[in-house]
Amino acid sequence: MPRIRYASILRIFVILGLLCVWLQIMLSATTGILDKDGDTKIEDSFSISNSTTNPELPFEEELMNSNETSEQVLALVPPELHKYLTVHPKNITANATERYAGRNVSDIRRAIRRYNDAQTVYNEDIFGPVQNDTIIIAIQVHTRLTYLRHLIVSLAQARDIDKTLLIFSHDYYDEEINSLVRSIDFTKVMQIFYPYSVQTHTNEFPGMDPNDCPRNAKMEQAIKMKCNNALHPDLHGHYREAKYTQTKHHWWWKANRIFNQLQPTATHTGMVVFLEEDHYVAEDFIHMLGLLRATADKNCPNCEILCLGTYLKTYQYHSNSDKRRKQLNLSYIQQVRAVNEERRKRQQESQWNFQVYPNLYSNTQKVEITPWHSSMHNMGMVFNRTVWNSIMELQEQFCAYDDYNWDYSLLHLSQNRPKREKFKVILCKGPRVFHIGECGVHHKKSNCNASTVISKVQKLLKNAKPYMFPARVTATITAGGAKHNKKLTKGNGGWGDIRDQELCTNMTKIGRQPRRYTYYA
Ligand SMILES: *[C@@H]1O[C@H](CO)[C@@H](O)[C@H](O)[C@H]1NC(C)=O
Ligand SMILES: *[C@@H]1O[C@H](CO)[C@@H](O)[C@H](O)[C@H]1NC(C)=O
Ligand SMILES: *[C@@H]1O[C@H](CO)[C@@H](O)[C@H](O)[C@H]1NC(C)=O
Ligand SMILES: *[C@@H]1O[C@H](CO)[C@@H](O)[C@H](O)[C@H]1NC(C)=O
Ligand SMILES: *[C@@H]1O[C@H](CO)[C@@H](O)[C@H](O)[C@H]1NC(C)=O
Ligand SMILES: *[C@@H]1O[C@H](CO)[C@@H](O)[C@H](O)[C@H]1NC(C)=O
Ligand SMILES: *[C@@H]1O[C@H](CO)[C@@H](O)[C@H](O)[C@H]1NC(C)=O
Ligand SMILES: *[C@@H]1O[C@H](CO)[C@@H](O)[C@H](O)[C@H]1NC(C)=O
Ligand SMILES: *[C@@H]1O[C@H](CO)[C@@H](O)[C@H](O)[C@H]1NC(C)=O
Ligand SMILES: *[C@@H]1O[C@H](CO)[C@@H](O)[C@H](O)[C@H]1NC(C)=O
């Protein structure tokens, strides 16, 4: 008798406990998801279609490096990692002119060449050489240093991080970013620099050439002007904008560099994880990677892509720029309709979030096998050299496709593989990679800041701690929604210029490069 009473009391406690956890999830979820500027979005999308220099565009050239880390966020970061969050006051007081005193474009180019030639792997003496199966974590970095600091803090706390190689790929050269990256002491680190950046090509392609056609010029007008790319507008009739093409170029260059060009990764056959500067990882992401790999080997040999992320919210970066492209050519009524549709989708996605969070807390973690879709599965994407080689065979599907998004270009390639199925992805339904950069750029007007989102993710992970490192996962196979399986007909544009297509193809032709050391006085 007492045994049974004991058991039922225990059950009540467990149920109460679960209820508490659930309540907390709901609370933490609701506080962030309400979109405070849902209404101003409409204005945004209209004004965007008219102006070429919109202040809300995602490519801020100024280094984003403010000290907005709140005490609340700091409290959840182990003290020994505070050093990665410390903004040196001396450096923020200097304005851009001062920071670059003595650093002109030719200096920067020389520094970039030197780094790229040397192919140095830092900390190899402490953590051992790069092996064929070392997990490589490739991080694409632009200028958002505040977020990068937090990504590094999250990586530092991940188990088994000391067995990986972090490759930071930069398209913006800055001493402050470099000294942060070089201060990493918890695993092997490499830095590579995209050599065709807008920063180092201020008056020439791939930057903006003074004789390039204005974005909104009509074709006949452009031909009369005899501007460089008059004959090659994109499918919407617009001419290229250098900063928009850079992300796809950089992504492509980085993958080519890692698989085909670098010496330290020449015989690497293991997994390569693709992250961006504004991502944040859970402490068991490497463990989950192993589980995903094992599950794929057993149940889905043709799952070529692994994915660690699920979006907390729509990927602002994307949805906004896509909207911008798509709505250029719509009537007023159509625009209103599109905006309403966008809002409806966003609402749906927030509801969907509520279902995602509790998955983090269930002991038997769920993974899903589904057709790979660009905008859903582009965060924390993982594949290996075998898959890369199959991508390389179809490089023109990527390079010649009139879409400035790397993930949509990859989707196009995926859908056009002769005699092969589309890419399949195996993904964790409880995300192990989070997107913390949703504020900061598009939410300048609202009071949404980096600290708010980071603290939300921190809390979520803290609550999930007991459920991290699951021993096994259960896989479900889904066919994906109609949207996922819809064949892309035409791209989002922004990639009509043949110079962009040619540069992209040129990057695939560069072979393995020996390490070279050059010494400067
Ligand atoms: C769009 O731009 C044109 C030319 O710059 C300007 O005359 C017009 O007022 C703008 N329209 C809106 C709605 O801002
Ligand atoms: C940055 O912010 C934190 C927390 O508000 C504060 O403790 C620290 O002194 C600040 N650092 C600088 C250099 O302003
Ligand atoms: C930046 O600092 C330099 C040197 O102190 C000064 O000459 C320049 O006007 C400053 N620029 C701005 C935009 O404040
Ligand atoms: C760049 O700066 C260096 C000194 O730091 C100078 O020697 C060189 O001539 C400069 N180059 C250009 C193109 O201004
Ligand atoms: C930033 O400040 C730190 C510490 O004061 C210094 O070590 C570093 O060199 C500075 N970076 C730049 C670009 O001045
Ligand atoms: C790594 O792979 C290369 C080529 O496949 C092979 O020659 C080499 O022995 C491997 N190295 C190790 C340590 O397994
Ligand atoms: C690379 O990925 C493919 C597809 O997921 C897989 O079949 C293969 O076993 C992987 N290769 C290695 C060496 O892990
Ligand atoms: C929209 O684009 C189509 C071609 O894609 C073109 O024929 C049409 O004139 C454009 N409409 C406007 C209003 O620009
Ligand atoms: C950013 O968020 C922190 C913590 O939520 C808050 O203390 C701070 O006032 C916020 N800053 C701005 C500019 O909204
Ligand atoms: C691509 O490579 C060819 C041959 O080296 C060169 O002539 C051409 O200028 C390159 N194009 C671009 C856009 O870099």
Side-chain angles (χ1 to χ4, degrees):
M1 262 320 246
R3 255 185 92 82
I4 292 169
R5 283 230 342 241
Y6 179 69
S8 58
I9 286 170
L10 197 73
R11 200 172 303 146
I12 288 171
F13 267 106
V14 167
I15 289 170
L16 270 175
L18 283 176
L19 210 71
C20 279
V21 169
W22 177 81
L23 246 168
Q24 220 159 0
I25 301 159
M26 285 314 199
L27 283 177
S28 63
T30 31
T31 47
I33 274 159
L34 288 172
D35 202 331
K36 289 174 204 100
D37 55 358
D39 285 332
T40 59
K41 274 275 142 47
I42 300 179
E43 271 169 47
D44 283 357
S45 53
F46 283 101
S47 62
I48 280 168
S49 61
N50 202 26
S51 74
T52 47
T53 51
N54 191 296
E56 295 241 288
L57 294 181
F59 291 85
E60 69 286 35
E61 287 311 319
E62 260 305 303
L63 191 65
M64 181 182 163
N65 186 28
S66 56
N67 181 23
E68 54 175 40
T69 301
S70 64
E71 301 288 354
Q72 197 188 359
V73 167
L74 223 46
L76 287 174
V77 174
E80 69 273 18
L81 300 180
H82 284 188
K83 63 180 177 192
Y84 298 120
L85 300 175
T86 310
V87 177
H88 294 292
K90 196 171 74 193
N91 301 351
I92 36 170
T93 52
N95 66 30
T97 330
E98 281 174 323
R99 261 213 308 272
Y100 295 118
R103 275 256 173 238
N104 53 33
V105 167
S106 52
D107 279 347
I108 292 177
R109 282 190 189 186
R110 197 176 319 123
I112 287 178
R113 207 174 312 125
R114 200 166 27 168
Y115 267 111
N116 282 348
D117 283 348
Q119 304 183 26
T120 310
V121 180
Y122 302 103
N123 305 335
E124 228 176 357
D125 49 340
I126 305 166
F127 300 101
V130 179
Q131 309 278 358
N132 290 346
D133 63 351
T134 297
I135 293 173
I136 291 179
I137 300 169
I139 302 156
Q140 184 157 331
V141 185
H142 184 51
T143 58
R144 302 170 76 189
L145 185 47
T146 302
Y147 291 112
L148 184 61
R149 292 176 185 285
H150 288 280
L151 171 61
I152 291 172
V153 165
S154 74
L155 288 168
Q157 296 176 81
R159 187 185 292 175
D160 287 336
I161 194 71
D162 56 338
K163 301 188 179 74
T164 65
L165 167 66
L166 305 182
I167 300 184
F168 291 85
S169 182
H170 302 271
D171 59 30
Y172 189 83
Y173 186 92
D174 182 88
E175 294 296 352
E176 197 130 10
I177 299 179
N178 291 347
S179 62
L180 172 68
V181 170
R182 296 280 295 277
S183 74
I184 292 174
D185 57 8
F186 53 82
T187 190
K188 294 184 283 290
V189 172
M190 220 179 153
Q191 276 188 291
I192 58 179
F193 290 85
Y194 172 64
Y196 314 109
S197 69
V198 172
Q199 186 195 22
T200 55
H201 295 77
T202 41
N203 287 307
E204 59 184 316
F205 181 84
M208 174 81 181
D209 188 303
N211 197 34
D212 279 352
C213 306
R215 175 178 175 278
N216 291 324
K218 293 273 169 293
M219 192 163 169
E220 52 193 280
Q221 192 188 343
I223 290 171
K224 247 182 249 155
M225 284 166 71
K226 291 200 171 65
C227 49
N228 288 336
N229 43 342
L231 296 177
H232 305 285
D234 71 359
L235 55 89
H236 298 295
H238 296 297
Y239 290 102
R240 91 186 276 273
E241 285 169 281
K243 55 187 179 180
Y244 285 112
T245 66
Q246 177 157 291
T247 309
K248 176 170 164 179
H249 277 309
H250 182 180
W251 190 87
W252 186 241
W253 175 84
K254 172 188 65 180
N256 273 278
R257 184 90 187 145
I258 291 170
F259 287 112
N260 300 348
Q261 296 167 22
L262 291 177
Q263 212 48 252
T265 56
T267 60
H268 184 260
T269 50
M271 298 186 269
V272 178
V273 183
F274 290 88
L275 295 180
E276 290 170 30
E277 63 189 352
D278 60 350
H279 290 168
Y280 192 97
V281 299
E283 60 176 328
D284 70 342
F285 86 99
I286 296 169
H287 172 83
M288 281 309 284
L289 211 53
L291 280 180
L292 284 177
R293 182 74 265 168
T295 311
D297 287 345
K298 216 164 82 197
N299 300 311
C300 181
N302 58 349
C303 277
E304 291 171 282
I305 296 176
L306 280 53
C307 180
L308 291 163
T310 310
Y311 284 97
L312 288 176
K313 258 174 105 174
T314 27
Y315 197 23
Q316 296 279 350
Y317 206 88
H318 248 127
S319 53
N320 272 20
S321 17
D322 281 357
K323 196 164 62 191
R324 177 180 154 275
R325 291 281 174 197
K326 282 187 196 133
Q327 291 180 358
L328 294 175
N329 192 15
L330 297 179
S331 71
Y332 179 80
I333 304 247
Q334 283 172 317
Q335 286 192 33
V336 171
R337 233 180 253 152
V339 168
N340 283 340
E341 173 67 10
E342 187 69 27
R343 192 183 302 152
R344 192 187 57 77
K345 256 197 295 194
R346 215 180 305 144
Q347 256 161 17
Q348 233 174 27
E349 243 140 351
S350 339
Q351 273 154 18
W352 171 76
N353 279 333
F354 287 85
Q355 287 148 20
V356 167
Y357 286 3
N359 274 313
L360 257 182
Y361 298 85
S362 58
N363 256 322
T364 17
Q365 302 275 339
K366 296 195 178 89
V367 304
E368 184 182 347
I369 293 167
T370 192
W372 183 78
H373 183 79
S374 50
S375 58
M376 298 286 291
H377 310 131
N378 61 7
M379 186 167 63
M381 225 174 83
V382 184
F383 57 80
N384 67 21
R385 181 180 298 280
T386 315
V387 180
W388 172 251
N389 288 341
S390 79
I391 292 173
M392 280 294 279
E393 279 169 27
L394 301 173
Q395 58 87 7
E396 78 277 4
Q397 299 282 6
F398 185 91
C399 287
Y401 187 56
D402 189 357
D403 195 321
Y404 73 112
N405 299 289
W406 64 265
D407 54 350
Y408 277 88
S409 309
L410 204 56
L411 181 61
H412 174 74
L413 184 152
S414 164
Q415 294 181 343
N416 288 280
R417 303 206 294 172
K419 303 203 192 87
R420 291 183 77 166
E421 276 185 51
K422 290 176 287 200
F423 286 133
K424 274 218 181 94
V425 62
I426 178 164
L427 64 104
C428 325
K429 297 197 80 170
R432 265 37 182 214
V433 174
F434 298 85
H435 182 221
I436 53 174
E438 348 187 91
C439 291
V441 180
H442 294 284
H443 291 258
K444 269 186 191 129
K445 276 182 241 160
S446 65
N447 57 358
C448 176
N449 63 32
S451 276
T452 318
V453 181
I454 291 159
S455 135
K456 209 171 76 181
V457 173
Q458 277 180 333
K459 273 188 214 134
L460 183 110
L461 289 173
K462 194 172 163 224
N463 290 341
K465 212 175 171 86
Y467 306 99
M468 292 274 157
F469 301 99
R472 59 190 196 89
V473 293
T474 52
T476 51
I477 300 176
T478 64
K483 184 189 153 211
H484 297 172
N485 291 303
K486 202 174 142 211
K487 185 135 175 127
L488 287 177
T489 43
K490 52 179 189 171
N492 290 304
W495 199 264
D497 199 308
I498 48 164
R499 293 173 299 174
D500 282 317
Q501 301 179 10
E502 200 178 277
L503 177 61
C504 178
T505 300
N506 278 4
M507 288 177 194
T508 66
K509 293 182 180 153
I510 303 168
R512 189 77 54 196
Q513 298 185 320
R515 280 175 164 175
R516 250 185 308 146
Y517 299 94
T518 32
Y519 295 97
Y520 292 85

